[in-house]
Amino acid sequence: MNDIGSNWNKHSPLYQQLANDLRKRILGGQVSSGEAIPSERILQDRTGASRVTIRKAIDQLIEEGLLFRRQGAGTFISDRIEHKGEDLSGFTDEMRNLGVDPSSIWLVKVYAEATQEEAEALKLKTGAKVCRLGRVRLSNNTPMGIENAIVPANFLPDLSTISDSLYHALSQQNCAPVHGKQKVTASIASPTEAGLLSIREGDPVLRIERFTFLQDNTPLEFTRSVYRGDKYVFTSQLQNFGRAW
């Protein structure tokens, strides 16, 4: 961050420009999760900005969830989970692969009758027996998302087999998902979602709708999730297959 603040302009508040510069570096991967940013005094020396301006910029990024203060230690980059859009993996395996500790707070784990929408999504008859699974997903005890999954009951005959990982329970029944599709939409948190995710009402969230299938294309899972926009990042591999533009 030695070159931070090298191109200030007179058209917007200085604290906003500094916040934008820091945000760009964080989101661009120039600094890593858990890494400390330079102290306010060092930032003041490098930018020529006042201590008040520096603190205001940092406070803004703390409010956005990109930074956090650790008493007596400094200001650090918040953990952000990067999900590769082409990977068909569950939250538990994804977190463990990243070296963090996943856990869940169960909201609902019951058998129920499929609604018309659920039945259409899973190609069932309306009223067919399904498993309704709702929980808050946590990473290192920090709420990351809310997942609400619907699975045909015949794939999960015993709900007690489901602990943290739904996909592990499905694998034990020899019906792990083989392929799927999902849609990600930017949104804002409702009051209930904000409370469960420890964020503010109206904060940015990602709404994810996922469908998974068995090898023979039998629908296996219909899940709607809400993930914190400040903690979860989706990435995808792009490739040009020789098309002319």
Side-chain angles (χ1 to χ4, degrees):
M1 290 192 181
N2 291 330
D3 61 340
I4 192 168
S6 58
N7 56 349
W8 298 141
N9 63 64
K10 299 180 181 180
H11 305 296
S12 61
L14 193 55
Y15 85 89
Q16 188 68 64
Q17 294 181 64
L18 177 57
N20 291 343
D21 195 331
L22 288 169
R23 186 188 300 105
K24 182 178 179 180
R25 293 165 190 265
I26 294 169
L27 297 180
Q30 296 180 38
V31 286
S32 303
S33 296
E35 182 179 339
I37 67 169
S39 68
E40 292 180 4
R41 178 175 296 178
I42 291 175
L43 287 174
Q44 189 176 6
D45 290 341
R46 291 181 181 175
T47 64
S50 70
R51 196 72 170 265
V52 172
T53 296
I54 300 294
R55 183 160 297 179
K56 194 171 182 180
I58 291 174
D59 285 345
Q60 178 172 323
L61 296 182
I62 289 174
E63 287 185 8
E64 294 176 13
L66 293 176
L67 299 176
F68 69 95
R69 284 194 180 94
R70 186 176 295 158
Q71 190 66 34
T75 304
F76 296 82
I77 310 298
S78 297
D79 291 335
R80 293 174 64 83
I81 302 302
E82 183 174 301
H83 173 80
K84 294 181 179 179
E86 63 272 16
D87 287 350
L88 179 56
S89 59
F91 180 87
T92 300
D93 286 341
E94 187 176 32
M95 296 302 104
R96 287 174 178 163
N97 289 337
L98 291 170
V100 298
D101 183 28
S103 57
S104 299
I105 299 174
W106 283 97
L107 304 175
V108 61
K109 187 198 291 189
V110 298
Y111 292 114
E113 293 184 355
T115 65
Q116 181 177 350
E117 179 188 28
E118 294 163 353
E120 290 177 356
L122 295 169
K123 297 183 180 179
L124 302 171
K125 293 181 179 179
T126 301
K129 191 176 182 181
V130 295
C131 302
R132 198 179 302 281
L133 310 167
R135 52 191 165 161
V136 179
R137 309 309 301 265
L138 300 95
S139 168
N140 288 340
N141 295 316
T142 298
M144 297 292 292
I146 307 164
E147 290 184 357
N148 291 289
I150 306 295
V151 177
N154 59 295
F155 294 130
L156 290 168
D158 184 359
L159 293 183
S160 66
T161 62
I162 309 172
S163 54
D164 278 338
S165 174
L166 169 61
Y167 285 4
H168 179 68
L170 289 167
S171 294
Q172 290 182 320
Q173 300 296 323
N174 296 314
C175 53
V178 174
H179 62 96
K181 60 182 180 180
Q182 67 182 13
K183 178 175 67 177
V184 182
T185 307
S187 185
I188 59 174
S190 70
T192 299
E193 292 165 347
L196 291 172
L197 294 173
S198 298
I199 57 178
R200 297 174 302 181
E201 178 184 354
D203 275 359
V205 295
L206 297 173
R207 299 192 184 278
I208 306 166
E209 191 171 86
R210 174 183 282 204
F211 300 87
T212 61
F213 305 86
L214 298 176
Q215 183 67 52
D216 63 359
N217 293 324
T218 298
L220 176 64
E221 167 204 12
F222 171 39
T223 295
R224 280 181 171 151
S225 305
V226 180
Y227 276 85
R228 291 176 56 161
D230 63 327
K231 295 288 188 182
Y232 219 67
V233 178
F234 274 78
T235 62
S236 297
Q237 292 291 330
L238 303 179
Q239 185 173 349
N240 187 333
F241 293 97
R243 299 185 181 92
W245 298 95

